[in-house]
Amino acid sequence: MSPERTASGIAAEVRAGRVTALEVLEERLRRIDELDPLLKTFLKVHEEDARGQARAVDIRRSRGERLGRLAGVPVALKDNINVRGWETTCGSKILAGFRAPFDASVVERLRAEDAVLVGKTNLDEFAMGSSTENSAFFRTANPWDRGRVPGGSSGGSAAAVAADLVPAALGSDTGGSVRQPAGFCGAVGLKPTYGLVSRRGLVAFASSLDQIGPLTATVEDAALMLSAIGGHDPKDATSSPRPVADYGAALAGGVRGLKIGLPAEYFAEGMDRETEVLVREAVGCLERQGASVVEVSLPHTRYAISSYYILAPSEASSNLARYDGLRYGAPAAAGATLAESCAATRGAGFGPEVKRRIMLGTFALSEGYHEAYYGAAQKARGLIRRDFEDAFSKVDVLATPTSPGPAFRFDEKSEPMAMYLSDIFTITANLAGIPAVSVPAGLTAAGLPVGLQLLADSFREDLLLRAAAALERERPFARCRP
Amino acid sequence: MSAELELVAGLEVHCQLATRTKLFCGCPNGAAGSEANTAVCPVCTGQPGCLPVLNKAAVALAFKAALALDCGLAGRSVFARKNYFYPDLPKAYQISQYEAPFALGGEVRFKAGGSERRARLHRIHLEEDAGKLLHAVGSRELDCTLVDFNRCGAPLIEIVSEPDLRSAEEAHAFLTALKEILLYAGVSHCDMEKGELRCDANVSLRPKGASVLGVKVEIKNLNSFKAVKEALEHEAGRQAGLLASGGRVEPETRLWDAGKRRTEPMRSKEEAHDYRYFPDPDLAPLVPDPRWIETLKASLPELPAARRARYAESFGLSEYDAEVLTSSSSLGGYFEESVRGLPAEAVKTCVNLITTELLGRLHAEGKAVEACPLAASSLGSLASLIFKGTLSSKLAKEVFAKAWETGKAPEALVAELGLAQVLDEGQVRGWVKAACGANPKAVADLKAGNERAIGALVGAVMKLSKGKANPGLVNRLIKEEAAA
């Protein structure tokens, strides 16, 4: 991919003064104007605000000030990440009119690196979904086939990057919401170790699982974005105090001597043949570069879906209880009592998937059921975590498909369970808190991208990025772009 | 209450910690009285995307309270979400502690019915306060409800006692002792009028001597010590009445109506909330460093019980005097400063000055010890002047009043006003002789053995000396004169 299209390339050009941040932005805005009506990746493009930011970067450069690592790089943000003064909708009607009173910590860091924030991208309502079909506003199309979903819930961010509307975007990943759409759209999507990236300013879905992660076109850009947004934040009590690595430096290392594990449970029967072949070929490519490949077992994987769909909705039922229309957002017409008003607001404001999960979570936490559901799911989570600890005592990274199959058609998975199963390979990383990345493995015969997921032990993003970069060097992802 | 039933009560006391900022954000704590919604931020009003950050100063005060109350400190405690909808709770959950509180056990000793009693504590946990709903402004009823979030997120500890209290009087004494300890430890200002100390009570009756507990009723809205006492008395009567008439006590929550002085039903057990507690994923478990605990322990001031014992031991004070002087930490401090350098025999004089003159005057003027215009050292000097015989207790009162008003040192006032007692035997004898000469009948009566006749002679001497003659000396010299 040509350097003027990547985040690292743009930053280098802008710093060197070969192009201005405003020129970069205007070119992107023209492209958004042209293509986004077809794809509908953005909920809101903040053109004027972005121009102001770009001009400020150019002024800083003209004054001879040292510019940041993302100088002039246009970045899109999933619309569950707060930008001061901008609306945060979470793809929901219930937050209509809510303007964020503060910048998310990741936004502060992007600004500090001189990135240009372009706008907010579409998502499944409150990040609940795997297709972006649950957005209260509109669906986003997959740039490879506009009859197909981009994946979700960070579908807007993934599609915007895949269609080259922006070189980089942020998404959030609670059960695969960065990696799965990255796989569907042929982008690089990284879910960092829980605690590596601050959650402050990310509207919570399931607080113990949520992580913000970058979506980019190249591995180098993923490393650059992660270096910018990662690191300790005293305003997030779950943020890790360990110093953040320079992930860019890790890329060149190659995979000679790297031990790759293939978990048997992730190559189960019933998965898409072409997906399996492409993933195994990608692993084979790494093997040819000197990595060794062994089969491993993660025996408690079978509990992942059920425990995830207890824990995540439980936390969500609590996190989403605040949306009552009293302090912000859209209240329905007042009822006779407070409870009625609140119920009317929530009834009208939330979509069906969000309601389903609130009900699930409320039930799972109820007295009398708490131990059988929430308690048991926590135990399963512990077992899944231990599976990974065992595996990483034997291998450096694990390789799996990101999803059981490529992007599906709109309305194809109207059954909630069918949709939930599309997260089957991604949710374990969230339950265990470990980092995982989806990188393009190739295209199906029908021309749809397939993602290879790599997982590593906590805070070993360097290994993930090194392996991903090795694959990218041999099989440039450029051919996985529409 | 019929004779064969006994009251069994436990208290749940919410105490607002005296920190500078709230429990999970940087907003000022204790701004409940300020203009509504001026001490708020995105965190304490539950704006989307906000995260709580634990205030370490609040943890320190909470742990100090637990140490002062002899609780066991948990090596690991966990914040939990208590989920319920109410407009004063902006996140729709309260961050509290549930399964794993930071302190377990402990006890409060108090005196009731003339004997030493103690109530065990069940636990203490740390939590955030909710906001406040306003249904009226002043006396004007509103047609809507307003919410003030100034108090929302204020740090609280909830102290839960075991059901060890057996009367309304005991509950009152327990609270008094508890408040004293919390104030001493510097944990809270404990101002009930500001809601810094709030109380719920669990009340049941059972046959005297029985080991099983009766059906428990929870009483809420006890916002003064008086309310606690009255509500318990009332509730015991209500339950006894029910039982006497063959009825049953229902497990329920009742509200104390201080105006009507009775409890009224609030919700039954069936209507009880299901709070769906679970560990708050936004906060790590609280694992205190043992060395930090040691520092906290070392920073605890002397507590009332220890201080009382020391006063009895080193100053020889009566139990009553020790209790009065330790009723607040600052009064004890005043006392200790006033007796500094005073001979042991003069301490009692000083104590008397404090318990009568000083406290009387403070009370009359509605002042706290901290605002006392008379320096402790001055009070000590006054006691010393009495002890040395320079001042009679009557003159001491005069000097006390002058010192209170002017702030001048007692010695200076004595000199200024010429109030020192006359101890010079020659001078006093002169007055005695003059008095005897002027009152021959009294002298004759005294000589005839009528001891009461001395009064008139003493009075005459005092008149001549303008009250400055030393009474002991006057007595002796009159007797000598009569015997001569």
Side-chain angles (χ1 to χ4, degrees):
Chain A
M1 157 163 250
S2 60
E4 66 271 21
R5 309 306 303 169
T6 66
S8 34
I10 290 167
E13 298 282 293
V14 169
R15 275 203 299 266
R18 285 191 285 274
V19 66
T20 66
L22 192 59
E23 285 164 355
V24 171
L25 175 69
E26 292 297 349
E27 190 272 331
R28 295 294 173 153
L29 289 177
R30 277 194 298 279
R31 199 169 157 81
I32 291 169
D33 259 358
E34 178 194 341
L35 293 174
D36 208 47
L38 303 173
L39 299 172
K40 298 177 98 59
T41 64
F42 279 91
L43 283 170
K44 172 88 177 164
V45 180
H46 290 267
E47 293 98 343
E48 279 318 304
D49 191 324
R51 286 188 180 107
Q53 298 170 51
R55 280 189 206 104
V57 171
D58 290 334
I59 289 169
R60 283 175 25 77
R61 181 171 191 288
S62 69
R63 286 184 188 146
E65 287 177 40
R66 198 184 139 81
L67 295 182
R69 287 178 287 182
L70 295 169
V73 175
V75 176
L77 301 163
K78 185 176 182 180
D79 199 16
N80 58 353
I81 297 171
N82 282 346
V83 176
R84 190 189 171 110
W86 292 9
E87 259 190 87
T88 302
T89 70
C90 293
S92 179
K93 285 188 286 188
I94 206 160
L95 272 171
F98 169 72
R99 286 179 191 282
F102 65 99
D103 274 343
S105 293
V106 290
V107 169
E108 288 175 352
R109 289 181 187 201
L110 291 176
R111 289 194 200 275
E113 298 291 349
D114 293 313
V116 173
L117 312 174
V118 176
K120 304 298 276 293
T121 56
N122 200 16
L123 68 161
D124 287 296
E125 186 176 3
F126 284 101
M128 296 179 186
S130 310
S131 67
T132 314
E133 290 169 291
N134 294 335
S135 167
F137 303 106
F138 44 74
R139 295 161 154 184
T140 294
N142 190 312
W144 294 86
D145 177 349
R146 282 189 275 127
R148 290 178 187 266
V149 303
S153 62
S154 312
S157 284
V161 168
D164 200 23
L165 305 184
V166 282
L170 292 185
S172 67
D173 191 316
T174 306
S177 282
V178 162
R179 290 161 286 157
Q180 184 255 23
F184 279 15
C185 292
V188 179
L190 176 76
K191 190 220 66 103
T193 307
Y194 187 81
L196 178 58
V197 177
S198 171
R199 293 184 296 117
R200 177 175 161 273
L202 168 68
V203 179
F205 157 19
S207 314
S208 76
L209 302 159
D210 296 340
Q211 266 298 280
I212 293 173
L215 287 129
T216 56
T218 67
V219 176
E220 184 185 9
D221 282 0
L224 176 63
M225 288 289 282
L226 185 64
S227 301
I229 63 172
H232 183 235
D233 178 6
K235 292 176 180 171
D236 173 358
T238 61
S239 164
S240 165
R242 69 163 60 204
V244 71
D246 175 5
Y247 299 103
L251 298 180
V255 292
R256 182 157 305 282
L258 193 79
K259 281 189 204 154
I260 300 175
L262 296 183
E265 294 79 6
Y266 288 65
F267 292 87
E269 269 178 64
M271 74 182 291
D272 177 67
R273 254 317 273 166
E274 266 188 296
T275 297
E276 184 176 353
V277 168
L278 285 168
V279 166
R280 285 192 187 278
E281 275 176 17
V283 173
C285 171
L286 293 174
E287 201 172 8
R288 283 193 298 281
Q289 293 181 60
S292 59
V293 178
V294 292
E295 198 163 282
V296 294
S297 174
L298 300 167
H300 297 99
T301 302
R302 64 180 181 280
Y303 300 123
I305 286 271
S306 45
S307 54
Y308 176 85
Y309 277 97
I310 288 167
L311 296 175
S314 292
E315 294 182 19
S317 71
S318 173
N319 283 329
L320 271 62
R322 68 186 65 186
Y323 305 111
D324 54 15
L326 292 180
R327 291 165 305 282
Y328 43 76
T337 65
L338 180 74
E340 279 176 30
S341 302
C342 180
T345 298
R346 291 168 69 79
F350 287 136
E353 183 59 31
V354 171
K355 285 181 191 162
R356 183 179 295 119
R357 297 203 197 186
I358 290 173
M359 295 293 288
L360 270 173
T362 304
F363 177 78
L365 288 174
S366 300
E367 213 177 316
Y369 299 95
H370 193 285
E371 254 326 286
Y373 290 94
Y374 186 82
Q378 284 290 24
K379 281 190 197 107
R381 184 178 188 173
L383 294 173
I384 289 164
R385 197 175 281 146
R386 200 169 321 143
D387 274 0
F388 280 111
E389 284 166 12
D390 289 348
F392 292 126
S393 67
K394 301 181 194 101
V395 299
D396 300 308
V397 298
L398 295 166
T400 79
T402 305
S403 306
F408 43 86
R409 295 185 181 285
F410 286 117
D411 302 318
E412 188 181 324
K413 300 198 188 245
S414 51
E415 275 298 304
M417 264 316 282
M419 189 72 86
Y420 295 173
L421 287 170
S422 66
D423 298 336
I424 191 162
F425 300 147
T426 46
I427 57 178
T428 47
N430 301 82
L431 290 169
I434 58 171
V437 65
S438 176
V439 294
L443 296 175
T444 63
L448 295 174
V450 162
L452 164 75
Q453 176 179 235
L454 298 167
L455 307 100
D457 205 355
S458 292
F459 301 103
R460 293 315 305 271
E461 279 80 356
D462 59 323
L463 290 180
L464 294 183
L465 291 164
R466 181 140 61 90
L471 182 66
E472 186 184 38
R473 270 194 298 276
E474 284 300 304
R475 298 150 54 112
F477 300 162
R479 66 181 193 87
C480 297
R481 297 181 74 81
Chain B
M1 196 183 350
S2 61
E4 65 271 23
L5 291 176
E6 75 172 349
L7 174 79
V8 177
L11 297 182
E12 294 171 9
V13 180
H14 285 91
C15 165
Q16 185 178 325
L17 299 173
T19 54
R20 200 173 51 79
T21 56
K22 292 182 180 181
L23 187 51
F24 296 115
C25 64
C27 288
N29 178 30
S34 310
E35 193 184 335
N37 296 313
T38 53
V40 299
C41 75
V43 174
C44 59
T45 55
Q47 304 286 314
C50 281
L51 292 175
V53 178
L54 183 61
N55 177 353
K56 214 179 164 191
V59 179
L61 288 187
F63 277 59
K64 277 176 90 163
L67 290 167
L69 293 166
D70 282 331
C71 304
L73 291 178
R76 180 177 186 277
S77 65
V78 177
F79 288 100
R81 292 186 184 180
K82 180 178 181 179
N83 297 284
Y84 63 97
F85 288 96
Y86 208 62
D88 65 5
L89 191 67
K91 298 189 298 294
Y93 60 80
Q94 178 194 26
I95 304 177
S96 180
Q97 296 187 313
Y98 184 55
E99 284 177 335
F102 77 91
L104 291 166
E107 66 171 23
V108 174
R109 289 172 183 274
F110 56 91
K111 237 190 225 154
S115 62
E116 283 280 343
R117 299 272 297 129
R118 63 178 204 118
R120 292 164 302 150
L121 298 181
H122 178 59
R123 61 185 274 169
I124 308 181
H125 64 256
L126 185 57
E127 63 184 23
E128 57 177 347
D129 206 347
K132 202 171 168 184
L133 297 185
L134 298 165
H135 306 283
V137 171
S139 59
R140 188 167 58 90
E141 286 286 319
L142 298 169
D143 60 355
C144 60
T145 299
L146 301 175
V147 196
D148 177 5
F149 291 118
N150 281 351
R151 206 182 66 181
C152 193
L156 302 178
I157 47 173
E158 182 176 339
I159 303 164
V160 183
S161 87
E162 296 288 356
D164 286 354
L165 302 168
R166 294 291 172 268
S167 68
E169 187 209 345
E170 283 195 11
H172 190 274
F174 167 86
L175 275 176
T176 308
L178 177 64
K179 179 178 167 182
E180 207 175 79
I181 293 170
L182 295 172
L183 279 171
Y184 260 75
V187 163
S188 170
H189 302 307
C190 293
D191 188 335
M192 286 194 102
E193 275 175 27
K194 289 188 187 159
E196 289 168 347
L197 206 63
R198 281 169 267 161
C199 186
D200 300 333
N202 290 302
V203 182
S204 63
L205 293 183
R206 68 178 174 193
K208 204 161 190 143
S211 56
V212 290
L213 294 170
V215 175
K216 176 180 85 175
V217 170
E218 185 178 5
I219 308 172
K220 289 193 172 287
N221 203 29
L222 302 175
N223 295 326
S224 69
F225 283 25
K226 186 165 152 247
V228 172
K229 197 154 177 276
E230 288 183 354
L232 259 61
E233 278 162 2
H234 168 273
E235 182 59 20
R238 191 189 70 85
Q239 292 187 17
L242 275 175
L243 296 171
S245 62
R248 272 190 332 182
V249 176
E250 297 297 330
E252 60 177 342
T253 301
R254 298 177 71 86
L255 212 57
W256 173 246
D257 186 326
K260 294 179 187 157
R261 297 178 65 178
R262 64 173 188 227
T263 61
E264 290 185 338
M266 185 177 156
R267 57 172 178 254
S268 71
K269 199 183 178 193
E270 286 70 42
E271 293 165 302
H273 287 298
D274 178 355
Y275 291 118
R276 292 173 282 119
Y277 284 100
F278 72 100
D280 191 336
D282 287 333
L283 291 161
L286 191 52
V287 182
D289 183 336
R291 282 168 305 183
W292 185 62
I293 302 276
E294 286 308 312
T295 331
L296 288 179
K297 215 180 263 178
S299 76
L300 267 186
E302 182 184 34
L303 295 170
R307 186 176 265 192
R308 275 195 282 277
R310 180 165 64 83
Y311 284 5
E313 168 82 26
S314 48
F315 297 114
L317 297 194
S318 71
E319 201 178 332
Y320 174 79
D321 282 343
E323 229 161 84
V324 172
L325 292 177
T326 54
S327 62
S328 83
S329 173
S330 40
L331 183 60
Y334 188 96
F335 159 69
E336 292 189 42
E337 204 185 320
S338 67
V339 298
R340 192 166 299 145
L342 223 51
E345 301 79 21
V347 168
K348 177 63 186 164
T349 311
C350 191
V351 171
N352 288 345
L353 279 173
I354 292 178
T355 54
T356 55
E357 299 304 316
L358 186 89
L359 289 180
R361 192 71 187 254
L362 286 173
H363 184 75
E365 296 186 13
K367 281 195 170 110
V369 182
E370 290 86 344
C372 178
L374 187 66
S377 55
S378 291
L379 195 86
S381 317
L382 192 56
S384 169
L385 288 169
I386 299 170
F387 172 68
K388 283 192 288 202
T390 312
L391 282 179
S392 66
S393 49
K394 183 156 165 284
L395 287 176
K397 275 186 211 234
E398 219 171 294
V399 174
F400 177 89
K402 286 278 181 213
W404 183 280
E405 280 144 28
T406 61
K408 288 184 185 168
E411 292 91 339
L413 284 169
V414 166
E416 194 176 302
L417 300 171
L419 288 176
Q421 279 191 67
V422 176
L423 286 163
D424 180 78
E425 205 170 313
Q427 197 176 351
V428 175
R429 198 181 292 278
W431 284 321
V432 168
K433 279 187 190 296
C436 289
N439 294 284
K441 185 175 175 335
V443 176
D445 287 353
L446 191 58
K447 279 188 170 167
N450 182 357
E451 287 285 323
R452 283 163 61 189
I454 199 167
L457 294 167
V458 170
V461 170
M462 286 301 172
K463 202 167 176 185
L464 287 169
S465 71
K466 296 195 177 72
K468 289 194 281 187
N470 177 279
L473 189 57
V474 170
N475 266 295
R476 179 164 66 77
L477 293 180
I478 290 175
K479 280 180 187 158
E480 279 177 25
E481 200 65 25

